[in-house]
Amino acid sequence: NLKITIAGGGSTYTPGIIQAILNNIDRLPIKEIRLYDIDEARNNDMFLIIDYMLKRENLTYITLKAILDPEEAFTDSDFIFSQIRVGGMKMRETDEKIPLKYGLVGQETCGLGGFAYGLRSISGLLEVVGHVQTYAPHAWILNYTNPETIISEAVRRVYPKAKMLNACDMTISIEETIAFNYGYDRKNWISEYYGLNHFGWYTKIYDKSLERDVMPEIIEKLNTENMKVADFNAGDKSWQEAFNMMSVITKNFPTNIPNNYLEYYLYPDMVVEETDKEYTRANMVMEGREKNTREMAEKIRQGKTEDVLNFNFGEHGQYIVDMASSIMNDEHQRFMLIVPNNGAIPNLRSDAVVEVPAYVGATGAEPISLRENIGDFHKGLMEAQVAAEKLLVDAYFENSYQKALQAFTLNQTVPSARLAKLVLDEMIEANKEYWPKL
Ligand code: G6P
Ligand code: MN
């Protein structure tokens, strides 16, 4: 009698997760879905949408609940999917816009925006993990909440034994895009990858059916064809820019394929130039996905259900459902996971939180070691980032302004301590309802 709780149930990502659950109901026979959110209106909207989906698929034996009370939401749950966003899209907007005012990268996970979001997210995640320890200690938490490395670092300091897997869909998404553009089937791939979350590199993409490493030929294509991804995600400027940027980076470091998020760390000035400082990603999401979801709920409320559910589900939902199934059925599927390093990247400090491939089974994640040292360029970049993130988490637990300032200064998108301080001071004001007192 499998029960799952979606923490952040009102999120616009919920329908994608539910669709993936419904498509895999044989592997993951869920009987009860609990939408847990602190925002009652959003949770109720999502209840209507999910209820409609279940009825449409004739899966009315699944119990659906929209819950505000944590005890009711978590008690006896088997899986917690966490996708909370502390402060919502409104605060994401400030994360993006404050740094941009000072000519710095304004992004929700990279740069100072990511650090601001980190200081907000930690309390929210600690609260969810705390509820799970109390009401469902046997449950697995599959976390998507950003910024993931910072959250993992904070959670493991308080709950070192928490049954929690941290995963990001970006690597899957990159692989899908490349496979789609160049006619490969990602299902045949065994990828080698290392880094931090939103900050890593592919070193090998072994294709089982072709029986060879296809990464060199992919790099060749990315370079000569200048990364043609325009037909995919057409109209989504940020994606296109990211991938164009990625091919630039690839030319300089031709042995690895970088995660597209590295553009923010390696080309912060270019990214800022290309960014509209008044209308950021948060605005796009609020006026797009968020608005559409509200309208969809409204249509269902009024009984106008024709052409409702015209969603664009990403890989996000499938990925989290595969992970739950891999735990439950001890499938040992391979995922990229965000885990304590402990030697996975041999010459990187072992207490870093890294993103590497891992097999997932009934006892959790078994990360794969890279089995070789990484070069100084990559190591240097990562070490600065790890140190900055650790300082930020220290700042959270120690209420330390000084450590927060050190973290902001060390962030790889920031060229000057003066700017770091200006942004930090403005962010303290903007986040006073959410951050610990520094
Ligand atoms: C990717 C990243 C996620 C991030 C999301 C933002 O999927 O891996 O960590 O949350 O993009 O997407 P959005 O559409 O909200 O900008
Ligand atoms: Mn991610």
Side-chain angles (χ1 to χ4, degrees), residues 13 85 89 92 108-109 144 146 148 168-171 173 197-198 239 261 281 285 289 316:
Y13 280 112
R85 181 185 280 282
M89 281 290 158
R92 176 179 181 174
E108 63 153 354
T109 64
Y144 262 78
N146 274 324
E148 296 216 44
C168 164
D169 61 346
M170 200 63 242
T171 49
S173 206
N197 181 230
H198 292 183
W239 264 97
Y261 276 93
R281 181 73 193 158
V285 172
R289 205 164 68 216
H316 167 103

Side-chain angles (χ1 to χ4, degrees), residues 166-223:
N166 296 286
C168 164
D169 61 346
M170 200 63 242
T171 49
I172 293 273
S173 206
I174 291 172
E175 289 177 31
E176 280 288 343
T177 304
I178 293 173
F180 176 88
N181 281 332
Y182 297 127
Y184 297 96
D185 184 352
R186 186 180 71 75
K187 302 253 156 19
N188 294 328
W189 285 357
I190 303 174
S191 300
E192 302 275 349
Y193 178 91
Y194 73 86
L196 314 173
N197 181 230
H198 292 183
F199 195 119
W201 293 268
Y202 283 92
T203 55
K204 190 175 182 182
I205 301 175
Y206 182 78
D207 189 304
K208 284 187 275 184
S209 78
L210 300 172
E211 297 180 2
R212 62 170 188 264
D213 177 7
V214 294
M215 200 186 73
E217 66 201 58
I218 290 172
I219 288 178
E220 188 62 30
K221 287 173 186 154
L222 295 182
N223 281 332

Side-chain angles (χ1 to χ4, degrees), residues 60-348:
T60 43
Y61 68 87
I62 297 177
T63 307
L64 177 68
K65 293 178 178 164
I67 305 175
L68 300 171
D69 173 56
E71 178 169 0
E72 197 188 338
F74 293 103
T75 298
D76 287 337
S77 207
D78 299 288
F79 285 101
I80 319 299
F81 296 173
S82 171
Q83 49 170 4
I84 63 170
R85 181 185 280 282
V86 178
M89 281 290 158
K90 269 286 164 217
M91 289 309 293
R92 176 179 181 174
E93 189 181 8
T94 68
D95 294 343
E96 292 170 348
K97 289 185 177 171
I98 294 173
L100 283 169
K101 264 172 56 180
Y102 299 93
L104 302 181
V105 168
Q107 209 277 334
E108 63 153 354
T109 64
C110 299
L112 301 184
F115 278 12
Y117 188 18
L119 287 179
R120 287 201 308 279
S121 275
I122 292 172
S123 316
L125 245 291
L126 287 177
E127 204 178 294
V128 167
V129 178
H131 288 320
V132 176
Q133 305 308 307
T134 310
Y135 301 121
H138 67 284
W140 278 95
I141 304 166
L142 308 187
N143 178 51
Y144 262 78
T145 291
N146 274 324
E148 296 216 44
T149 331
I150 292 166
I151 282 173
S152 312
E153 174 67 32
V155 168
R156 73 173 174 157
R157 290 191 194 182
V158 182
Y159 300 106
K161 296 221 159 72
K163 290 168 75 177
M164 173 161 154
L165 298 184
N166 296 286
C168 164
D169 61 346
M170 200 63 242
T171 49
I172 293 273
S173 206
I174 291 172
E175 289 177 31
E176 280 288 343
T177 304
I178 293 173
F180 176 88
N181 281 332
Y182 297 127
Y184 297 96
D185 184 352
R186 186 180 71 75
K187 302 253 156 19
N188 294 328
W189 285 357
I190 303 174
S191 300
E192 302 275 349
Y193 178 91
Y194 73 86
L196 314 173
N197 181 230
H198 292 183
F199 195 119
W201 293 268
Y202 283 92
T203 55
K204 190 175 182 182
I205 301 175
Y206 182 78
D207 189 304
K208 284 187 275 184
S209 78
L210 300 172
E211 297 180 2
R212 62 170 188 264
D213 177 7
V214 294
M215 200 186 73
E217 66 201 58
I218 290 172
I219 288 178
E220 188 62 30
K221 287 173 186 154
L222 295 182
N223 281 332
T224 53
E225 295 174 31
N226 205 18
M227 196 58 185
K228 288 205 180 77
V229 289
D231 47 299
F232 189 77
N233 273 304
D236 191 337
K237 194 159 153 271
S238 63
W239 264 97
Q240 244 179 70
E241 278 171 12
F243 274 95
N244 288 339
M245 195 75 75
M246 184 162 126
S247 95
V248 176
I249 300 167
T250 305
K251 275 175 196 151
N252 296 342
F253 309 107
T255 52
N256 300 152
I257 297 178
N259 188 302
N260 57 297
Y261 276 93
L262 279 161
E263 67 178 312
Y264 296 106
Y265 298 100
L266 296 174
Y267 296 91
D269 48 349
M270 279 176 75
V271 170
V272 171
E273 259 169 51
E274 282 165 342
T275 307
D276 182 342
K277 296 173 183 54
E278 309 300 324
Y279 193 83
T280 58
R281 181 73 193 158
N283 299 109
M284 286 178 216
V285 172
M286 284 189 279
E287 284 170 32
R289 205 164 68 216
E290 297 276 314
K291 183 162 162 273
N292 296 341
T293 305
R294 275 198 309 278
E295 287 173 359
M296 198 175 302
E298 197 45 44
K299 280 190 185 167
I300 296 173
R301 204 173 271 123
Q302 296 173 5
K304 298 183 194 148
T305 49
E306 327 76 52
D307 70 53
V308 160
L309 295 182
N310 200 4
F311 277 108
N312 188 7
F313 306 115
E315 277 297 301
H316 167 103
Q318 188 57 44
Y319 193 25
I320 203 162
V321 166
D322 281 343
M323 233 161 21
S325 165
S326 201
I327 292 174
M328 212 189 80
N329 306 311
D330 196 28
E331 287 165 16
H332 287 265
Q333 288 189 59
R334 189 177 168 113
F335 300 90
M336 300 300 175
L337 290 183
I338 296 144
V339 294
N341 184 23
N342 289 334
I345 304 173
N347 57 337
L348 186 77

Side-chain angles (χ1 to χ4, degrees), residues 19-88:
Q19 189 58 55
I21 290 175
L22 302 187
N23 295 345
N24 294 275
I25 201 79
D26 302 338
R27 285 196 301 155
L28 203 63
I30 285 169
K31 295 278 166 50
E32 186 166 324
I33 299 172
R34 298 157 169 187
L35 306 180
Y36 169 67
D37 210 299
I38 56 171
D39 186 328
E40 187 168 13
R42 279 168 67 93
N43 216 27
N44 288 344
D45 274 2
M46 198 44 68
F47 180 89
L48 284 178
I49 294 172
I50 305 307
D51 181 56
Y52 177 77
M53 289 174 79
L54 294 176
K55 287 186 178 133
R56 197 183 54 166
E57 312 250 345
N58 282 324
L59 290 171
T60 43
Y61 68 87
I62 297 177
T63 307
L64 177 68
K65 293 178 178 164
I67 305 175
L68 300 171
D69 173 56
E71 178 169 0
E72 197 188 338
F74 293 103
T75 298
D76 287 337
S77 207
D78 299 288
F79 285 101
I80 319 299
F81 296 173
S82 171
Q83 49 170 4
I84 63 170
R85 181 185 280 282
V86 178

